[in-house]
Amino acid sequence: MPLYPTTNVLYRVFYIRVIKSSTGQAVPGTAFAIDLDNREYVVTARHVAEHLDDAGVQVMRSGNWETYLAEIVGHGNGNIDISVLALHKSIVPNENRFPFPTGTAGAILGQEVMFLGFPDGLDPTVGFHLHHGLPVPLVKYARLSSLSVGDSYPMWIDGHVHPGFSGSPLCFVLDDPKEVRVGGVVTAYQPLKEPVFLADGTDTGMFVASNPGLACAWDIRHALDLIHDNPIGPVIG
């Protein structure tokens, strides 16, 4: 089964930002919605959501930022870069709410995976819009390089992740039954420190961080654990 961005995925991925109350700075990112026990939850990267306060989270619709009041369901412990939010109302359009299974069971090392998000600086008014004014996320592909081992280690993917994709859902195709499933939350790329030389080849002693195309994603089970501990999401329907 080819891995394509199906309706159940596209209508669950959102371009968001959180405003730091201390500085007024906007922290952009990507988030996605999952359902559990007839309640809806929004999952993103912790480094995006950790600044959330009473001002809520802003979601892009029809080229404008729409504010949603939100409660923090939970933040990942230690270096687990995941946060789960409960918005004051459902964010997924009811007529476009299709099952979006979760979990890494059945994922195969080396298989193709897909992640969807909004790179920082992208003008969301330029691209296509889905119904309800939701901008279409950019779709990127990678290979699953490793699975997570224990609670303190992420999965790794062979693919380029850019700022703004933090919080993107990492999706794969389960072979049996045939379905697109979200297995993780993309949060960061692994920078590579490269030396800087002058035009004549002289080593400056300085370095620049480059993106070598290796990124990490945290297992979706961390988000599910946070939800089970604090099931406060809005009721669906």
Side-chain angles (χ1 to χ4, degrees):
M1 178 180 176
L3 181 55
Y4 295 127
T6 48
T7 299
N8 66 325
V9 178
L10 289 175
Y11 277 95
R12 290 178 176 270
V13 182
F14 307 96
Y15 185 20
I16 70 167
R17 68 180 187 180
V18 174
I19 308 298
K20 290 184 179 181
S21 58
S22 59
T23 63
Q25 177 188 2
V27 181
T30 300
F32 62 96
I34 60 174
D35 304 334
L36 187 64
D37 297 332
N38 204 43
R39 292 179 180 270
E40 182 187 282
Y41 299 90
V42 172
V43 182
T44 188
R46 187 182 65 193
H47 70 265
V48 173
E50 63 187 354
H51 307 288
L52 184 69
D53 57 19
D54 293 340
V57 61
Q58 296 183 338
V59 179
M60 179 61 70
R61 284 185 186 271
S62 302
N64 297 301
W65 291 107
E66 181 177 315
T67 299
Y68 283 77
L69 300 181
E71 293 183 68
I72 297 172
V73 176
H75 295 307
N77 294 322
N79 61 337
I80 299 173
D81 195 2
I82 285 181
S83 288
V84 180
L85 310 178
L87 305 189
H88 72 285
K89 62 180 180 179
S90 174
I91 194 173
V92 179
N94 282 334
E95 64 268 35
N96 301 112
R97 185 184 298 279
F98 299 98
F100 192 28
T102 59
T104 56
I108 302 171
L109 193 65
Q111 78 175 98
E112 185 179 57
V113 291
M114 171 181 69
F115 57 100
L116 306 90
F118 300 92
D120 189 15
L122 174 71
D123 182 353
T125 65
V126 174
F128 290 104
H129 283 176
L130 299 166
H131 294 151
H132 305 279
L134 294 173
V136 179
L138 271 66
V139 180
K140 302 199 72 175
Y141 291 91
R143 291 284 173 182
L144 186 60
S145 297
S146 75
L147 294 168
S148 61
V149 180
D151 289 340
S152 300
Y153 297 93
M155 299 180 287
W156 290 95
I157 58 173
D158 179 17
H160 277 82
V161 173
H162 299 87
F165 275 91
S166 295
S168 297
L170 182 69
C171 303
F172 69 99
V173 170
L174 186 65
D175 188 57
D176 185 21
K178 298 289 186 182
E179 64 183 17
V180 177
R181 177 175 290 190
V182 56
V185 185
V186 176
T187 60
Y189 66 86
Q190 178 66 46
L192 179 66
K193 189 172 74 171
E194 296 183 336
V196 176
F197 297 92
L198 298 178
D200 62 3
T202 303
D203 189 346
T204 66
M206 296 185 293
F207 294 87
V208 62
S210 66
N211 186 341
L214 187 63
C216 66
W218 291 94
D219 196 309
I220 192 65
R221 65 185 170 83
H222 297 298
L224 300 179
D225 288 343
L226 294 173
I227 293 171
H228 285 303
D229 289 342
N230 190 22
I232 60 172
V235 175
I236 298 169

PDB file of all heavy atoms in Angstrom, residues 70-95:
ATOM      1  N   ALA A  70      -6.660  26.723  25.755  1.00  0.00           N
ATOM      2  CA  ALA A  70      -6.127  25.368  25.857  1.00  0.00           C
ATOM      3  C   ALA A  70      -5.608  25.095  27.258  1.00  0.00           C
ATOM      4  O   ALA A  70      -5.104  25.998  27.935  1.00  0.00           O
ATOM      5  CB  ALA A  70      -5.006  25.165  24.843  1.00  0.00           C
ATOM      6  N   GLU A  71      -5.743  23.850  27.663  1.00  0.00           N
ATOM      7  CA  GLU A  71      -5.140  23.369  28.901  1.00  0.00           C
ATOM      8  C   GLU A  71      -4.040  22.383  28.547  1.00  0.00           C
ATOM      9  O   GLU A  71      -4.114  21.674  27.540  1.00  0.00           O
ATOM     10  CB  GLU A  71      -6.176  22.671  29.784  1.00  0.00           C
ATOM     11  CG  GLU A  71      -7.255  23.561  30.344  1.00  0.00           C
ATOM     12  CD  GLU A  71      -8.179  22.776  31.264  1.00  0.00           C
ATOM     13  OE1 GLU A  71      -7.718  22.348  32.345  1.00  0.00           O
ATOM     14  OE2 GLU A  71      -9.349  22.574  30.893  1.00  0.00           O
ATOM     15  N   ILE A  72      -3.033  22.344  29.398  1.00  0.00           N
ATOM     16  CA  ILE A  72      -1.949  21.381  29.197  1.00  0.00           C
ATOM     17  C   ILE A  72      -2.347  20.050  29.812  1.00  0.00           C
ATOM     18  O   ILE A  72      -2.546  19.948  31.024  1.00  0.00           O
ATOM     19  CB  ILE A  72      -0.648  21.900  29.819  1.00  0.00           C
ATOM     20  CG1 ILE A  72      -0.201  23.183  29.121  1.00  0.00           C
ATOM     21  CG2 ILE A  72       0.447  20.839  29.722  1.00  0.00           C
ATOM     22  CD1 ILE A  72       0.967  23.872  29.786  1.00  0.00           C
ATOM     23  N   VAL A  73      -2.479  19.049  28.973  1.00  0.00           N
ATOM     24  CA  VAL A  73      -2.740  17.696  29.468  1.00  0.00           C
ATOM     25  C   VAL A  73      -1.492  17.165  30.153  1.00  0.00           C
ATOM     26  O   VAL A  73      -1.553  16.551  31.225  1.00  0.00           O
ATOM     27  CB  VAL A  73      -3.168  16.770  28.311  1.00  0.00           C
ATOM     28  CG1 VAL A  73      -3.340  15.333  28.793  1.00  0.00           C
ATOM     29  CG2 VAL A  73      -4.459  17.280  27.681  1.00  0.00           C
ATOM     30  N   GLY A  74      -0.351  17.421  29.538  1.00  0.00           N
ATOM     31  CA  GLY A  74       0.908  16.993  30.135  1.00  0.00           C
ATOM     32  C   GLY A  74       2.088  17.271  29.222  1.00  0.00           C
ATOM     33  O   GLY A  74       1.926  17.406  27.998  1.00  0.00           O
ATOM     34  N   HIS A  75       3.267  17.404  29.815  1.00  0.00           N
ATOM     35  CA  HIS A  75       4.520  17.545  29.086  1.00  0.00           C
ATOM     36  C   HIS A  75       5.333  16.271  29.291  1.00  0.00           C
ATOM     37  O   HIS A  75       5.315  15.671  30.373  1.00  0.00           O
ATOM     38  CB  HIS A  75       5.338  18.733  29.609  1.00  0.00           C
ATOM     39  CG  HIS A  75       4.716  20.068  29.388  1.00  0.00           C
ATOM     40  ND1 HIS A  75       4.292  20.508  28.148  1.00  0.00           N
ATOM     41  CD2 HIS A  75       4.457  21.088  30.252  1.00  0.00           C
ATOM     42  CE1 HIS A  75       3.805  21.735  28.258  1.00  0.00           C
ATOM     43  NE2 HIS A  75       3.880  22.109  29.524  1.00  0.00           N
ATOM     44  N   GLY A  76       6.085  15.865  28.282  1.00  0.00           N
ATOM     45  CA  GLY A  76       6.960  14.722  28.412  1.00  0.00           C
ATOM     46  C   GLY A  76       8.029  14.950  29.463  1.00  0.00           C
ATOM     47  O   GLY A  76       8.510  16.074  29.644  1.00  0.00           O
ATOM     48  N   ASN A  77       8.413  13.901  30.149  1.00  0.00           N
ATOM     49  CA  ASN A  77       9.450  13.981  31.184  1.00  0.00           C
ATOM     50  C   ASN A  77      10.840  13.972  30.568  1.00  0.00           C
ATOM     51  O   ASN A  77      11.057  13.433  29.481  1.00  0.00           O
ATOM     52  CB  ASN A  77       9.326  12.816  32.162  1.00  0.00           C
ATOM     53  CG  ASN A  77       8.046  12.875  32.968  1.00  0.00           C
ATOM     54  OD1 ASN A  77       7.602  13.951  33.369  1.00  0.00           O
ATOM     55  ND2 ASN A  77       7.438  11.717  33.215  1.00  0.00           N
ATOM     56  N   GLY A  78      11.788  14.550  31.307  1.00  0.00           N
ATOM     57  CA  GLY A  78      13.185  14.487  30.877  1.00  0.00           C
ATOM     58  C   GLY A  78      13.380  15.109  29.508  1.00  0.00           C
ATOM     59  O   GLY A  78      12.977  16.234  29.247  1.00  0.00           O
ATOM     60  N   ASN A  79      14.000  14.345  28.599  1.00  0.00           N
ATOM     61  CA  ASN A  79      14.268  14.858  27.260  1.00  0.00           C
ATOM     62  C   ASN A  79      13.188  14.486  26.250  1.00  0.00           C
ATOM     63  O   ASN A  79      13.371  14.670  25.042  1.00  0.00           O
ATOM     64  CB  ASN A  79      15.637  14.366  26.771  1.00  0.00           C
ATOM     65  CG  ASN A  79      15.702  12.856  26.678  1.00  0.00           C
ATOM     66  OD1 ASN A  79      14.948  12.150  27.337  1.00  0.00           O
ATOM     67  ND2 ASN A  79      16.625  12.341  25.873  1.00  0.00           N
ATOM     68  N   ILE A  80      12.057  13.961  26.717  1.00  0.00           N
ATOM     69  CA  ILE A  80      10.964  13.578  25.823  1.00  0.00           C
ATOM     70  C   ILE A  80      10.256  14.838  25.351  1.00  0.00           C
ATOM     71  O   ILE A  80       9.513  15.478  26.100  1.00  0.00           O
ATOM     72  CB  ILE A  80       9.975  12.619  26.514  1.00  0.00           C
ATOM     73  CG1 ILE A  80      10.697  11.337  26.938  1.00  0.00           C
ATOM     74  CG2 ILE A  80       8.814  12.288  25.589  1.00  0.00           C
ATOM     75  CD1 ILE A  80       9.849  10.407  27.783  1.00  0.00           C
ATOM     76  N   ASP A  81      10.481  15.219  24.117  1.00  0.00           N
ATOM     77  CA  ASP A  81      10.030  16.504  23.575  1.00  0.00           C
ATOM     78  C   ASP A  81       8.609  16.389  23.012  1.00  0.00           C
ATOM     79  O   ASP A  81       8.386  16.576  21.806  1.00  0.00           O
ATOM     80  CB  ASP A  81      11.013  16.971  22.504  1.00  0.00           C
ATOM     81  CG  ASP A  81      10.837  18.431  22.134  1.00  0.00           C
ATOM     82  OD1 ASP A  81       9.981  19.104  22.739  1.00  0.00           O
ATOM     83  OD2 ASP A  81      11.545  18.900  21.225  1.00  0.00           O
ATOM     84  N   ILE A  82       7.665  16.095  23.885  1.00  0.00           N
ATOM     85  CA  ILE A  82       6.258  15.953  23.505  1.00  0.00           C
ATOM     86  C   ILE A  82       5.396  16.700  24.518  1.00  0.00           C
ATOM     87  O   ILE A  82       5.668  16.661  25.721  1.00  0.00           O
ATOM     88  CB  ILE A  82       5.829  14.470  23.463  1.00  0.00           C
ATOM     89  CG1 ILE A  82       6.387  13.775  22.217  1.00  0.00           C
ATOM     90  CG2 ILE A  82       4.307  14.330  23.482  1.00  0.00           C
ATOM     91  CD1 ILE A  82       5.983  12.325  22.106  1.00  0.00           C
ATOM     92  N   SER A  83       4.361  17.370  24.004  1.00  0.00           N
ATOM     93  CA  SER A  83       3.320  17.941  24.852  1.00  0.00           C
ATOM     94  C   SER A  83       1.960  17.581  24.275  1.00  0.00           C
ATOM     95  O   SER A  83       1.804  17.459  23.055  1.00  0.00           O
ATOM     96  CB  SER A  83       3.443  19.464  24.937  1.00  0.00           C
ATOM     97  OG  SER A  83       4.549  19.855  25.712  1.00  0.00           O
ATOM     98  N   VAL A  84       0.987  17.434  25.163  1.00  0.00           N
ATOM     99  CA  VAL A  84      -0.391  17.181  24.748  1.00  0.00           C
ATOM    100  C   VAL A  84      -1.269  18.293  25.311  1.00  0.00           C
ATOM    101  O   VAL A  84      -1.158  18.650  26.490  1.00  0.00           O
ATOM    102  CB  VAL A  84      -0.893  15.810  25.244  1.00  0.00           C
ATOM    103  CG1 VAL A  84      -2.337  15.579  24.788  1.00  0.00           C
ATOM    104  CG2 VAL A  84       0.009  14.695  24.732  1.00  0.00           C
ATOM    105  N   LEU A  85      -2.143  18.838  24.472  1.00  0.00           N
ATOM    106  CA  LEU A  85      -3.037  19.923  24.857  1.00  0.00           C
ATOM    107  C   LEU A  85      -4.490  19.485  24.715  1.00  0.00           C
ATOM    108  O   LEU A  85      -4.821  18.641  23.877  1.00  0.00           O
ATOM    109  CB  LEU A  85      -2.801  21.151  23.977  1.00  0.00           C
ATOM    110  CG  LEU A  85      -1.362  21.647  23.815  1.00  0.00           C
ATOM    111  CD1 LEU A  85      -1.333  22.834  22.869  1.00  0.00           C
ATOM    112  CD2 LEU A  85      -0.759  21.997  25.159  1.00  0.00           C
ATOM    113  N   ALA A  86      -5.340  20.093  25.525  1.00  0.00           N
ATOM    114  CA  ALA A  86      -6.783  19.926  25.396  1.00  0.00           C
ATOM    115  C   ALA A  86      -7.354  21.301  25.074  1.00  0.00           C
ATOM    116  O   ALA A  86      -7.294  22.204  25.911  1.00  0.00           O
ATOM    117  CB  ALA A  86      -7.392  19.367  26.677  1.00  0.00           C
ATOM    118  N   LEU A  87      -7.877  21.488  23.867  1.00  0.00           N
ATOM    119  CA  LEU A  87      -8.452  22.765  23.491  1.00  0.00           C
ATOM    120  C   LEU A  87      -9.856  22.889  24.057  1.00  0.00           C
ATOM    121  O   LEU A  87     -10.479  21.904  24.446  1.00  0.00           O
ATOM    122  CB  LEU A  87      -8.475  22.907  21.972  1.00  0.00           C
ATOM    123  CG  LEU A  87      -7.123  22.722  21.247  1.00  0.00           C
ATOM    124  CD1 LEU A  87      -7.253  23.108  19.784  1.00  0.00           C
ATOM    125  CD2 LEU A  87      -6.016  23.515  21.906  1.00  0.00           C
ATOM    126  N   HIS A  88     -10.375  24.108  24.084  1.00  0.00           N
ATOM    127  CA  HIS A  88     -11.690  24.320  24.689  1.00  0.00           C
ATOM    128  C   HIS A  88     -12.817  23.801  23.808  1.00  0.00           C
ATOM    129  O   HIS A  88     -13.950  23.694  24.245  1.00  0.00           O
ATOM    130  CB  HIS A  88     -11.899  25.803  25.015  1.00  0.00           C
ATOM    131  CG  HIS A  88     -12.116  26.683  23.807  1.00  0.00           C
ATOM    132  ND1 HIS A  88     -11.103  27.047  22.954  1.00  0.00           N
ATOM    133  CD2 HIS A  88     -13.238  27.274  23.328  1.00  0.00           C
ATOM    134  CE1 HIS A  88     -11.583  27.830  22.001  1.00  0.00           C
ATOM    135  NE2 HIS A  88     -12.875  27.978  22.187  1.00  0.00           N
ATOM    136  N   LYS A  89     -12.495  23.502  22.553  1.00  0.00           N
ATOM    137  CA  LYS A  89     -13.473  22.893  21.664  1.00  0.00           C
ATOM    138  C   LYS A  89     -12.736  22.057  20.627  1.00  0.00           C
ATOM    139  O   LYS A  89     -11.527  22.226  20.416  1.00  0.00           O
ATOM    140  CB  LYS A  89     -14.329  23.951  20.974  1.00  0.00           C
ATOM    141  CG  LYS A  89     -13.557  24.911  20.085  1.00  0.00           C
ATOM    142  CD  LYS A  89     -14.481  25.939  19.440  1.00  0.00           C
ATOM    143  CE  LYS A  89     -13.697  26.908  18.552  1.00  0.00           C
ATOM    144  NZ  LYS A  89     -14.595  27.904  17.900  1.00  0.00           N
ATOM    145  N   SER A  90     -13.473  21.168  19.989  1.00  0.00           N
ATOM    146  CA  SER A  90     -12.871  20.296  18.988  1.00  0.00           C
ATOM    147  C   SER A  90     -12.321  21.121  17.835  1.00  0.00           C
ATOM    148  O   SER A  90     -12.907  22.120  17.422  1.00  0.00           O
ATOM    149  CB  SER A  90     -13.915  19.298  18.470  1.00  0.00           C
ATOM    150  OG  SER A  90     -13.386  18.532  17.408  1.00  0.00           O
ATOM    151  N   ILE A  91     -11.190  20.700  17.296  1.00  0.00           N
ATOM    152  CA  ILE A  91     -10.551  21.422  16.200  1.00  0.00           C
ATOM    153  C   ILE A  91     -10.694  20.699  14.864  1.00  0.00           C
ATOM    154  O   ILE A  91     -10.543  21.298  13.802  1.00  0.00           O
ATOM    155  CB  ILE A  91      -9.061  21.653  16.528  1.00  0.00           C
ATOM    156  CG1 ILE A  91      -8.442  22.693  15.592  1.00  0.00           C
ATOM    157  CG2 ILE A  91      -8.273  20.359  16.503  1.00  0.00           C
ATOM    158  CD1 ILE A  91      -7.039  23.101  15.960  1.00  0.00           C
ATOM    159  N   VAL A  92     -10.993  19.408  14.885  1.00  0.00           N
ATOM    160  CA  VAL A  92     -11.152  18.629  13.656  1.00  0.00           C
ATOM    161  C   VAL A  92     -12.593  18.763  13.164  1.00  0.00           C
ATOM    162  O   VAL A  92     -13.529  18.512  13.925  1.00  0.00           O
ATOM    163  CB  VAL A  92     -10.815  17.145  13.889  1.00  0.00           C
ATOM    164  CG1 VAL A  92     -11.012  16.339  12.604  1.00  0.00           C
ATOM    165  CG2 VAL A  92      -9.384  16.990  14.387  1.00  0.00           C
ATOM    166  N   PRO A  93     -12.804  19.152  11.910  1.00  0.00           N
ATOM    167  CA  PRO A  93     -14.173  19.240  11.390  1.00  0.00           C
ATOM    168  C   PRO A  93     -14.873  17.876  11.474  1.00  0.00           C
ATOM    169  O   PRO A  93     -14.306  16.857  11.060  1.00  0.00           O
ATOM    170  CB  PRO A  93     -13.976  19.660   9.927  1.00  0.00           C
ATOM    171  CG  PRO A  93     -12.621  20.298   9.887  1.00  0.00           C
ATOM    172  CD  PRO A  93     -11.801  19.562  10.907  1.00  0.00           C
ATOM    173  N   ASN A  94     -16.087  17.854  12.022  1.00  0.00           N
ATOM    174  CA  ASN A  94     -16.783  16.593  12.237  1.00  0.00           C
ATOM    175  C   ASN A  94     -16.953  15.790  10.964  1.00  0.00           C
ATOM    176  O   ASN A  94     -16.821  14.562  10.962  1.00  0.00           O
ATOM    177  CB  ASN A  94     -18.144  16.846  12.886  1.00  0.00           C
ATOM    178  CG  ASN A  94     -18.037  17.130  14.371  1.00  0.00           C
ATOM    179  OD1 ASN A  94     -17.090  16.690  15.024  1.00  0.00           O
ATOM    180  ND2 ASN A  94     -18.984  17.884  14.903  1.00  0.00           N
ATOM    181  N   GLU A  95     -17.253  16.472   9.835  1.00  0.00           N
ATOM    182  CA  GLU A  95     -17.481  15.738   8.591  1.00  0.00           C
ATOM    183  C   GLU A  95     -16.199  15.180   8.002  1.00  0.00           C
ATOM    184  O   GLU A  95     -16.231  14.361   7.084  1.00  0.00           O
ATOM    185  CB  GLU A  95     -18.189  16.627   7.561  1.00  0.00           C
ATOM    186  CG  GLU A  95     -17.387  17.829   7.096  1.00  0.00           C
ATOM    187  CD  GLU A  95     -17.654  19.071   7.934  1.00  0.00           C
ATOM    188  OE1 GLU A  95     -17.881  18.946   9.155  1.00  0.00           O
ATOM    189  OE2 GLU A  95     -17.624  20.173   7.352  1.00  0.00           O
TER     190      GLU A  95
END
